[in-house]
Amino acid sequence: MGKEKVTLTLDAENLAALRTLVGPRSLSAAVDAAVAERLARLEHLAAVDDWLAELEHDHGPIPAETLEWAAKLVDAWQKPKRRRQAG
């Protein structure tokens, strides 16, 4: 896969924390991995939306309670996982 150089504007605190964790040589790789992870999540959510539309088409409207339950699950997926403390 080809690479392309781009200019990004990032939050200074996030960038400093990332540099501290991965070092300057790994910065591009870390940002690329984060972009890939976010794309995978967005593609997954889009697939869920497509599946829900297919279910509605085939079986009629999805009850509001079911959609609310599913939204809570998706919200839980979106929350960052807490890092475990060493010790």
Side-chain angles (χ1 to χ4, degrees), residues 15-64:
L15 183 57
L18 185 60
R19 281 187 171 134
T20 298
L21 290 169
V22 301
R25 293 180 200 223
S26 301
L27 187 59
S28 289
V31 171
D32 196 41
V35 168
E37 183 178 316
R38 180 69 174 155
L39 279 172
R41 181 173 287 171
L42 291 173
E43 288 169 351
H44 178 79
L45 291 173
V48 169
D49 285 344
D50 291 344
W51 178 64
L52 288 173
E54 185 179 323
L55 285 176
E56 277 195 318
H57 179 266
D58 293 347
H59 304 286
I62 298 170

Side-chain angles (χ1 to χ4, degrees), residues 60-71:
I62 298 170
E65 306 83 42
T66 303
L67 291 174
E68 289 171 15
W69 170 79

